[in-house]
Amino acid sequence: MPPMPRSPASAPGPADPLPVLWLCGPPGVGKTTAAWEVRSRLAREGAAVAFVDIDQLGGLVPDPAADPGRHLLQADNLGAVLAGFRAAGARCAVVSGVLDPARGAPVERLGPVALTVCLLRAGRDTLERRFLGRGGAAALLPRVLHEADALDAAGIADAHVDTDDLPPSEVARLVLEHTDRPASVAQPALENSDRPASATRPTPEHTDRPAPAPPRPGLPSAAPSPHASPGGPPVLWLCGATGTGKSTVGFALHLRAWQAGRVSGYVDLDQIGMVHPAPADDPGGHRLKAGNLARVYRNLRAAGAELVTVTGPAEDRAAIEAYTSALPGVEITVCRLHAGPGALAERILLRGRGGGWPQPGDPLRSRPDDELLHTAAEASAQAEALDRAALGDLRTTTDGRTPEQIAEEIATRTGRP
C-alpha cells in the first residue's frame, strides 16, 4: 500500500492519488471488523485516516433498474465522500465492503486514488458458522458461498488474507503485512516512496490484470418526481441524544416509504464523517458531514430518490444550519427524538453489550458498565438541554415504544407515506 504520511497539514492535493485500502469478501468473512481494526492501528501510528463502510453508502430502495445491487451508486458515493475526507485532511482511507466480482474495483468512479484491494477469505464451514451466527437467513447461505467462490475466481484483489480461526487483530496485522504497508506512516510524501509502482493502480499499466473498462457514465437522472420539492427530494432528519433511537427509527421510516411505493434514500451522518484526527476547526464534524451529505444527496437524487431519511446528532441550531446551508432549496424537516434517563441507560447498556446493529466504530461497544452508565448520564443531560432549546421542527418521545410505532407517529405528523 502506498505510504501514509502522518501530518494532516500536508494532505494530498486535488491531483495527488489518495491511498485507499479496500477490504472485500463475502458476508460473514469479517470485513468491517478487520477494516476498523486496520483503521485503528493506522490512527494509533499517527496516520490521518478516514474510514468508510461501503454498505452505508448504498441507502436506496428499491435498486435502480440500471444498477442492480447498487454497486455503481455505492462507488459514486464512495468517490464523493473520499473527496470530503481529503478536504478534511485525510492522508489515506480504509474501506470495507463487497466488490462486484464481474466489474472489479470501480477505480474510474473514485477520483484520484491509489487503490489496493485485499480479499478476505474463509473456509465454507467458517463462513456458514459466522453468517448464521450473526442472524443471517439459512436460505441465503448458498448465495453467500457462491459469492465467495466468485470473488476467489475473479482475480480482482492485490492481496489475500485467510481469516479462519483468527481474531480481528491478527487479521489486521496480516492485511497490513500483505499489502506492504511501510513500517513507518510518517514518510513525508507519496512521490518519495521507494514502493514499487505495481503496488498501486491509478492507471492500467500498473497491473498485470486486464486494463479496466473505460469509464462508464454516471447513474441516469430520474424523471422529476411529483413528490419531490423544487430543490430535490425532501429530507426528514432524525436527531437527538445518544440512545434515543435515531438510526433504528430512521431505518424503519426508510423501509416504510419503500413499502408504500416510493424510491427511498437513507443516510447515517456518523457513517460519512469518520476521519481521524477530527478537524480542529470543525467541532462535531458538522462541516465535513454536511459537505459529504450534499455530495451523497446529489447521487441519491440522480438515482431516483423521491425522499431521503437522514439520521445523526445536532447539538444546537448552528449545527442544523451547517446542513441546511449545504442543501439550499431542499425541504428539510428536523425531528428530534427524546427519551428519559431510564430508557437511555437501558439502550446504552444494551449497545455496549453487543445489542443492536453492529455499527462500524461504535464507541459504546464492549465498554465497561460504569463507563456506559456515565455515557447514559451525559446523554440524559443532553436530552434535557435539547428540550430546553426546543431544537427541531417536531419532537417525539421514544420511551416504551417500538420503532414501528414511533415511525408511524412521525409519518403521520410529517405527511410521509
Side-chain angles (χ1 to χ4, degrees):
M1 191 174 179
M4 297 180 176
R6 182 186 303 271
S7 172
S10 56
D16 295 328
L18 181 74
V20 176
L21 173 61
W22 189 327
L23 274 62
C24 66
V29 79
K31 299 182 292 295
T32 302
T33 305
W36 184 258
E37 179 64 25
V38 169
R39 171 262 174 212
S40 299
R41 285 182 175 232
L42 293 173
R44 289 194 296 269
E45 294 176 9
V49 56
F51 177 86
V52 185
D53 180 350
I54 199 73
D55 291 340
Q56 304 303 317
L57 299 183
L60 187 78
V61 287
D63 289 0
D67 185 22
R70 293 162 290 161
H71 293 294
L72 302 184
L73 175 63
Q74 289 175 330
D76 287 340
N77 281 340
L78 177 57
V81 300
L82 288 177
F85 289 132
R86 179 196 299 271
R91 298 300 310 267
C92 59
V94 178
V95 177
S96 70
V98 70
L99 274 178
D100 183 354
R103 290 192 174 105
V107 182
E108 72 280 3
R109 308 182 88 95
L110 303 184
V113 301
L115 179 65
T116 301
V117 175
C118 182
L119 174 63
L120 301 186
R121 301 188 292 197
R124 299 174 82 83
D125 290 344
T126 301
L127 286 176
E128 178 177 352
R129 183 180 70 254
R130 291 176 181 172
F131 181 72
L132 298 179
R134 71 180 196 183
L140 296 179
L141 187 58
R143 185 184 303 178
V144 171
L145 299 178
H146 173 76
E147 183 176 330
D149 292 339
L151 286 166
D152 263 344
I156 59 175
D158 301 294
H160 306 81
V161 170
D162 293 319
T163 69
D164 292 273
D165 303 319
L166 295 180
S169 58
E170 180 64 10
V171 174
R173 185 190 69 78
L174 290 173
V175 166
L176 291 172
E177 179 181 294
H178 283 61
T179 52
D180 294 332
R181 194 280 318 264
S184 170
V185 296
Q187 300 183 41
L190 290 168
E191 60 270 24
N192 291 339
S193 172
D194 57 1
R195 174 82 189 278
S198 59
T200 67
R201 286 187 286 142
T203 57
E205 63 269 25
H206 289 160
T207 178
D208 55 3
R209 294 193 297 275
R216 295 181 292 273
L219 291 171
S221 296
S225 166
H227 308 293
S229 66
V235 170
L236 175 60
W237 177 8
L238 271 61
C239 67
T242 301
T244 52
K246 299 182 290 296
S247 297
T248 305
V249 175
F251 201 73
L253 281 161
H254 169 55
L255 295 182
R256 179 189 178 93
W258 167 49
Q259 291 159 357
R262 301 289 183 84
V263 181
S264 177
Y266 177 82
V267 183
D268 184 329
L269 294 175
D270 285 338
Q271 296 299 315
I272 59 173
M274 293 187 176
V275 64
H276 172 88
D281 61 347
D282 185 15
H286 294 301
R287 190 168 68 240
L288 166 63
K289 289 186 281 190
N292 276 345
L293 174 61
R295 297 178 181 96
V296 170
Y297 176 90
R298 286 194 291 270
N299 289 335
L300 291 174
R301 180 182 184 181
E306 297 178 316
L307 37 76
V308 177
T309 303
V310 173
T311 61
E315 62 275 3
D316 53 32
R317 288 185 172 82
I320 291 178
E321 288 171 3
Y323 298 92
T324 56
S325 297
L327 295 172
V330 176
E331 176 191 338
I332 301 177
T333 302
V334 179
C335 176
R336 176 169 49 86
L337 304 187
H338 181 83
L344 292 175
E346 180 181 349
R347 294 169 187 170
I348 287 171
L349 284 168
L350 179 64
R351 269 177 61 183
R353 295 166 181 170
W357 76 285
Q359 174 185 342
D362 189 346
L364 302 181
R365 186 62 60 101
S366 301
R367 306 309 303 166
D369 281 2
D370 57 347
E371 185 175 322
L372 294 171
L373 290 173
H374 178 72
T375 299
E378 291 180 332
S380 181
Q382 183 187 21
E384 293 176 4
L386 294 174
D387 248 3
R388 290 193 297 271
L391 196 70
D393 301 301
L394 64 150
R395 171 195 186 273
T396 187
T397 301
T398 64
D399 301 62
R401 306 168 68 195
T402 67
E404 292 72 24
Q405 290 170 333
I406 303 164
E408 171 76 26
E409 178 194 336
I410 295 172
T412 299
R413 294 176 65 185
T414 60
R416 276 212 159 197

